[in-house]
Amino acid sequence: MLLEKLVSPYRSVTVTFSTSLPVEIAIVRLRGATEPSILGTKKEAAVGTVTRQRVFLHRLVPGKGNSFKPIFVGRFDVAEGETQLRGRFTMHWLVKLFTASWYAGCIYWTVLATRIALEERGVLTLVPLLGVVMILLGGSVVLFLRWLAADDRRFLEEVITRAFSGSASGGSHAP
């Protein structure tokens, strides 16, 4: 459904990464493959927090910002003799709140303006179209930003997989 794609530009996707490494080693390797902060990072990298209870990662591309990019949120567990990093790729909750508020405001405007236009025939007949234009504009921006972040999930998956396989490369990634 188009409305679902526009309101939730990056739906949550649950994933599990498994490794035979002990949990402490897996944490150390993933920390080594990521940067702890965006400050001082001058190249493309996975950035965020890595602890047993909380893993929060996103892709940093210097000079480019995109609040609609996917983030990985998860935690380490041990199941069936394997270390597992379980989590989900999602969008930051503030971005979800902003997007939902945008569409709610546009829909509210359109409904209210349509009601007034029907009551005040002739004077404000085109005003409801402003709400429709704002919905379409918002949808276009969301789809464009989603397109810009199309490779972010794959990038983060590769960083995690490489860290667990032992070929971590210091937080950066060359495509």
Side-chain angles (χ1 to χ4, degrees):
M1 181 174 175
L2 180 60
L3 184 60
E4 181 182 336
K5 286 183 180 181
L6 296 178
V7 172
S8 181
Y10 201 87
R11 293 165 300 287
S12 294
V13 177
T14 303
V15 293
T16 300
F17 299 94
S18 298
T19 181
S20 59
L21 297 170
V23 68
E24 294 79 17
I25 302 293
I27 291 168
V28 168
R29 285 199 180 171
L30 187 54
R31 265 193 209 132
T34 61
E35 299 289 336
S37 169
I38 62 172
L39 300 176
T41 304
K42 297 186 185 328
K43 57 186 174 181
E44 181 180 45
V47 177
T49 304
V50 178
T51 67
R52 183 175 182 145
Q53 298 302 318
R54 185 170 195 269
V55 177
F56 179 90
L57 298 173
H58 65 95
R59 178 184 186 188
L60 174 71
V61 181
K64 296 180 182 174
N66 184 355
S67 296
F68 287 80
K69 66 185 172 186
I71 58 173
F72 176 79
V73 180
R75 63 180 306 226
F76 282 95
D77 289 315
V78 177
E80 301 172 14
E82 279 191 324
T83 298
Q84 296 182 337
L85 175 57
R86 296 181 185 180
R88 59 190 160 79
F89 285 97
T90 188
M91 194 172 49
H92 197 280
W93 68 271
L94 283 172
V95 178
K96 289 180 182 180
L97 179 65
F98 172 78
T99 305
S101 298
W102 174 271
Y103 286 115
C106 291
I107 291 168
Y108 177 76
W109 166 269
T110 304
V111 169
L112 186 64
T114 301
R115 181 176 168 223
I116 292 170
L118 291 174
E119 289 174 0
E120 305 285 331
R121 295 220 174 243
V123 178
L124 303 170
T125 54
L126 295 178
V127 172
L129 290 178
L130 180 60
V132 174
V133 168
M134 293 302 287
I135 289 170
L136 294 174
L137 178 65
S140 299
V141 169
V142 167
L143 291 175
F144 176 69
L145 292 174
R146 190 174 168 196
W147 175 76
L148 286 178
D151 290 335
D152 286 20
R153 177 178 167 192
R154 180 193 52 76
F155 174 86
L156 293 173
E157 286 175 339
E158 286 179 6
V159 168
I160 294 168
T161 302
R162 284 183 181 164
F164 288 174
S165 70
S167 59
S169 59
S172 65
H173 170 75

